[in-house]
Amino acid sequence: MSRVLKIGSRKSALAKLQTYLVLDALRKKYPDLPVELFFREASGDQDLQTPLWKMGTRGVFTQDLTKELVDGRVDVVVHSWKDLDLDGHPGTTILGVLNRADQRDVLLWKKSSLDLFSPTELKIQTSSPRREYNLGKFLPKLLPSRYKTSALIFTPVRGNIQTRIRKWMESDSDGLVLAKAALDRLLSEDFPEASLLEYQEIRNFLNEALDTSSFQILPLSLNPSAPAQGAIAAEVRSDDLWSLNILKSFNDSKSVAAVEEERGILRSYGGGCHQKIGVSVLERPYGRVLYRRGISDSGEVLDLERQFSETPAPAARALSDCYPVPGEAVKQKRVPLDSENGYVLAVDGQEDRILSSENLARLDWLVTRGNAFPQLDPSLKHEGLVWTSGLKTWFQLAERDVWVSGSLDALGEDELPQDKLFGKPVHFVKCTHVGSTEIASGLERVLTYQVRPLEEHPDLSAKTHFFWMSASQFDRALSLYPQIRDRNHACGPGITFSHIRKVLGESARLSVFIHYESWLQSLGLKEFEGTKLGNQTEKNPTEFPA
C-alpha cells in the first residue's frame, strides 16, 4: 500500500490514547500500511467553565475534526463515540472500532471526607444532568448508614480527566463522578505508547489520587450510562472506500448494535447533553439487557429494565404449574458459623483449609447475601474491597454501615473484576454457605453461614415451570423429585446456570433471567400482569393477587 492513512483526533491525553489503540490494531493487521497522526484542540476543549449542556452547540468535541475530514485534510477521525452528534454528518460514515470498554460511571470519594461521621452534606462534582438526576435518586441507598442524613449537593466541573481530578482534590467537594472507561484506559500500560513520559506522569498522578480515595462503581441498573459511553468510533468520508475497507476490519458488530440502540433511544427524546437520560444496552451470552432511567424534557419519568432472552421460557398454563410463586419457597434459617478459630476456605479440586480472620481481612470479598458478610472481631479492620452479587445485598450492607465498592448487579460472576482494578491487584473470595462447595466455581469460597430448612419441601411432582435461586436449591429438589428433570427450568446467570446446564445437559429447557420477577412476568399468567411482585419467601398480600 503506497497511500498514507491520515488519522486525526483531539489532542487530549485520552483522545490520543484511543487513537494509539486504533493505530496499534492497524499495525498488527496491516504492518506495511503507512500512517500519520494529527492532533488538535476542539472548541469544547477551550471553554472549561461552561457546562456542556449550556453551550447550545452539538458536537463541541467533534465538529472541528469532522470539518477537517470532510475537507480532505485527514482520512479518519477517532472519536469517543458518546461525543458524536446523534444526527451524524452528511457525507461521513461512523464505524465502531475495537471492543467497548466498561460502560459504568465511578464515583470517587475523598477518604478524608469519609472519615467524618454523618456530615450535614456531601458535595459531588459532575457537570452531567443525567448523573445528577439519577444519583440524587439512588445514591443514599448505596451509602453506609452514617451518611443517610447527609444532603447531596452537586457542583459543576469541566476539563479532561486529570484536570477534573485536580480541581476536585483542590476543592472542598467530597465526591467526583467519572466514566470508568476513561480511568481504565489512562491507567493501562497495555499499548505501545504507554512508555511515553506523558502517560507515565498521568498514571503516577492518577495512582496518587486513587491512593487517597475510596470509590463506588455505579451499577448500570440504577445509573445507565450516556449512550455509547466506553465505545470508540472512527469517522470516515462515505466515498472513501479505501479507508472504509481498512477500518471495517475492526468493526465490533455487537458493540455497534448496542450503541446504535442506545443512541436511537436518546434521539427519540430529542437528544443533547442537557438530557437527564441514561441508556445502556448490554450484550451477554444469555441475551440482551436494556436499562433506561431518567426524566425527559416533558417530565416523563423513565424507569425501565428489560431483558431479551436468547432462550425464552414457554408460557405456563396455570399458576399451580409454577414453582415458586411469591411466598411459596421453603423458608430457611441462616445461621452464622463460629469463626473463633478461623473460616473454612474451599477451592475446587483441593482439600478445604482454615483461613484465619487476620488473613481474611486482607482479601476482597464477594458477598452473596447479607447473611454471608463475615463477622470479624472488632479489633480487625477489613482492608479489601466489598462486592455484592446484587443490589439487594448492597442495600442491606449499607444499612449496616458497610462500605460497598461495587456489585455484579445480578449479572453473574463473570462480571467480577479480574486480576486488577484501577491498576491495583484484586483477590476476591466468595462469602457463602455450607454446601455451596459441592458446586464447581472458579472462585475461592469462604463459608460464613449454614442453611437450615424450617419446613418440609413442597411436592413438586406436578410442577412444570421452575426458577432456581441457587444450585443447591436445584440439587435438593431434583434429588427429591427426579421426574422434574425434563421440565422447564430457569435461573439467574452465572454459577447456578452453569451447574444446572451441566446436570441437565445441553438439550435441557433452561432459560436465564436476571431477576426472579422477570421470570414470573414471562410466564404469561394474568396473575402477574402489571403487579408489584413479592419474592420467593415473602408474599405481600396487599400487592400480590389472591
Side-chain angles (χ1 to χ4, degrees):
M1 297 180 180
S2 57
R3 177 177 164 181
V4 176
L5 183 68
K6 299 178 180 180
I7 303 177
S9 170
R10 290 167 60 198
K11 65 185 299 184
S12 73
L14 179 60
K16 290 192 296 183
L17 188 155
Q18 292 175 163
T19 304
Y20 292 142
L21 292 175
V22 174
L23 176 62
D24 187 40
L26 285 167
R27 285 170 174 162
K28 290 175 180 175
K29 192 170 184 67
Y30 303 105
D32 298 325
L33 174 67
V35 178
E36 292 180 4
L37 303 181
F38 299 87
F39 302 114
R40 60 157 294 168
E41 272 194 339
S43 57
D45 295 315
Q46 296 164 8
D47 178 359
L48 298 183
Q49 300 301 320
T50 307
L52 294 177
W53 62 274
K54 288 186 176 181
M55 286 188 172
T57 303
R58 293 186 176 185
V60 294
F61 291 121
T62 61
Q63 60 183 356
D64 303 319
L65 291 157
T66 297
K67 186 177 187 306
E68 292 198 343
L69 174 66
V70 172
D71 291 346
R73 289 193 284 272
V74 294
D75 303 309
V76 180
V77 178
V78 175
H79 300 286
S80 291
W81 203 336
K82 69 182 179 67
D83 292 337
L84 283 166
D85 188 346
L86 292 173
D87 295 328
H89 188 283
T92 70
T93 297
I94 303 298
L95 299 171
V97 291
L98 310 182
N99 294 330
R100 188 176 187 176
D102 198 322
Q103 296 165 237
R104 294 173 293 180
D105 288 330
V106 59
L107 176 51
L108 301 182
W109 293 96
K110 293 175 182 174
K111 289 181 179 178
S112 57
S113 297
L114 300 178
D115 288 340
L116 301 174
F117 190 86
S118 193
T120 56
E121 62 182 28
L122 291 171
K123 294 181 180 178
I124 300 172
Q125 290 189 348
T126 176
S127 289
S128 162
R130 167 188 65 85
R131 288 168 172 161
E132 180 176 343
Y133 177 81
N134 280 329
L135 264 68
K137 292 185 67 176
F138 73 79
L139 187 57
K141 296 180 70 175
L142 300 187
L143 289 171
S145 57
R146 77 192 83 162
Y147 308 113
K148 292 299 182 186
T149 60
S150 304
L152 300 181
I153 309 296
F154 294 93
T155 60
V157 63
R158 283 285 317 283
N160 61 34
I161 294 296
Q162 308 92 279
T163 299
R164 276 181 275 169
I165 290 178
R166 189 173 291 109
K167 287 180 177 180
W168 167 60
M169 294 175 69
E170 294 172 353
S171 74
D172 65 349
S173 292
D174 307 291
L176 172 67
V177 190
L178 300 170
K180 182 174 180 290
L183 268 184
D184 287 340
R185 284 176 174 147
L186 288 170
L187 286 166
S188 171
E189 299 181 46
D190 192 22
F191 63 103
E193 289 76 11
S195 60
L196 293 176
L197 180 60
E198 175 184 16
Y199 291 106
Q200 292 184 46
E201 291 177 342
I202 289 173
R203 286 195 297 274
N204 290 337
F205 169 74
L206 294 179
N207 282 319
E208 289 175 5
L210 289 168
D211 285 342
T212 60
S213 307
S214 294
F215 65 83
Q216 292 177 303
I217 297 177
L218 304 176
L220 288 175
S221 63
L222 294 177
N223 184 57
S225 63
Q229 186 161 300
I232 299 175
E235 188 176 16
V236 185
R237 289 186 301 278
S238 300
D239 59 0
D240 184 359
L241 300 182
W242 181 77
S243 298
L244 279 171
N245 287 332
I246 291 174
L247 272 299
K248 279 181 179 177
S249 62
F250 304 107
N251 197 50
D252 179 2
S253 59
K254 286 191 174 181
S255 293
V256 169
V259 165
E260 289 180 344
E261 183 174 356
E262 292 168 3
R263 286 165 60 85
I265 291 172
L266 185 62
R267 188 184 298 111
S268 70
Y269 291 97
C273 293
H274 71 285
Q275 293 283 5
K276 301 174 182 178
I277 298 173
V279 185
S280 292
V281 174
L282 299 178
E283 293 284 353
R284 294 295 185 266
Y286 46 83
R288 195 168 92 260
V289 184
L290 166 65
Y291 303 114
R292 184 182 68 201
R293 299 202 187 279
I295 187 168
S296 70
D297 288 343
S298 64
E300 178 187 357
V301 176
L302 310 176
D303 190 9
L304 175 71
E305 177 177 332
R306 181 175 296 170
Q307 177 187 350
F308 303 88
S309 178
E310 291 289 323
T311 54
R317 292 177 302 175
L319 186 65
S320 58
D321 292 336
C322 308
Y323 178 83
V325 297
E328 187 182 17
V330 176
K331 292 179 175 59
Q332 301 171 326
K333 183 178 182 180
R334 295 174 176 86
V335 182
L337 296 177
D338 182 1
S339 58
E340 183 177 353
N341 297 316
Y343 292 84
V344 173
L345 178 70
V347 183
D348 291 343
Q350 300 180 24
E351 289 189 10
D352 294 350
R353 60 187 177 89
I354 298 299
L355 180 70
S356 70
S357 295
E358 290 79 8
N359 285 333
L360 178 59
R362 300 186 186 101
L363 300 177
D364 304 306
W365 301 346
L366 171 62
V367 183
T368 54
R369 58 186 308 128
N371 312 74
F373 190 78
Q375 301 300 313
L376 296 180
D377 186 282
S379 64
L380 290 175
K381 181 180 179 182
H382 180 215
E383 300 171 8
L385 302 175
V386 174
W387 227 257
T388 66
S389 293
L391 295 186
K392 180 180 177 182
T393 302
W394 189 330
F395 298 156
Q396 290 172 341
L397 295 183
E399 287 292 339
R400 290 159 57 181
D401 206 38
V402 175
W403 184 270
V404 178
S405 295
S407 175
L408 305 183
D409 214 2
L411 297 173
E413 291 176 12
D414 287 344
E415 308 291 324
L416 194 66
Q418 302 294 322
D419 301 324
K420 285 188 175 183
L421 182 60
F422 298 136
K424 303 291 193 300
V426 291
H427 184 173
F428 278 97
V429 293
K430 181 178 179 179
C431 303
T432 185
H433 62 89
V434 174
S436 65
T437 55
E438 299 172 9
I439 313 302
S441 170
L443 286 173
E444 298 173 320
R445 283 162 289 185
V446 172
L447 307 185
T448 59
Y449 70 99
Q450 58 184 329
V451 178
R452 295 176 183 168
L454 297 178
E455 56 190 10
E456 293 296 319
H457 204 290
D459 185 353
L460 303 183
S461 58
K463 304 290 184 181
T464 60
H465 289 65
F466 303 90
F467 186 90
W468 307 109
M469 291 295 289
S470 69
S472 55
Q473 181 194 32
F474 164 79
D475 282 348
R476 181 166 183 249
L478 186 63
S479 68
L480 294 171
Y481 302 99
Q483 63 266 47
I484 70 174
R485 170 182 288 271
D486 296 326
R487 296 177 189 170
N488 301 295
H489 301 272
C491 63
I495 297 301
T496 300
F497 173 80
S498 300
H499 175 75
I500 296 176
R501 173 63 75 198
K502 181 179 179 181
V503 171
L504 297 182
E506 292 297 324
S507 61
R509 287 176 283 184
L510 177 60
S511 301
V512 174
F513 291 90
I514 295 175
H515 300 296
Y516 166 67
E517 293 79 6
S518 301
W519 172 74
L520 289 176
Q521 291 168 338
S522 78
L523 296 172
L525 299 172
K526 67 180 186 303
E527 289 90 343
F528 303 125
E529 292 178 0
T531 303
K532 185 175 181 180
L533 305 168
N535 63 35
Q536 288 197 17
T537 57
E538 296 176 1
K539 181 175 178 179
N540 186 334
T542 64
E543 296 175 325
F544 184 74

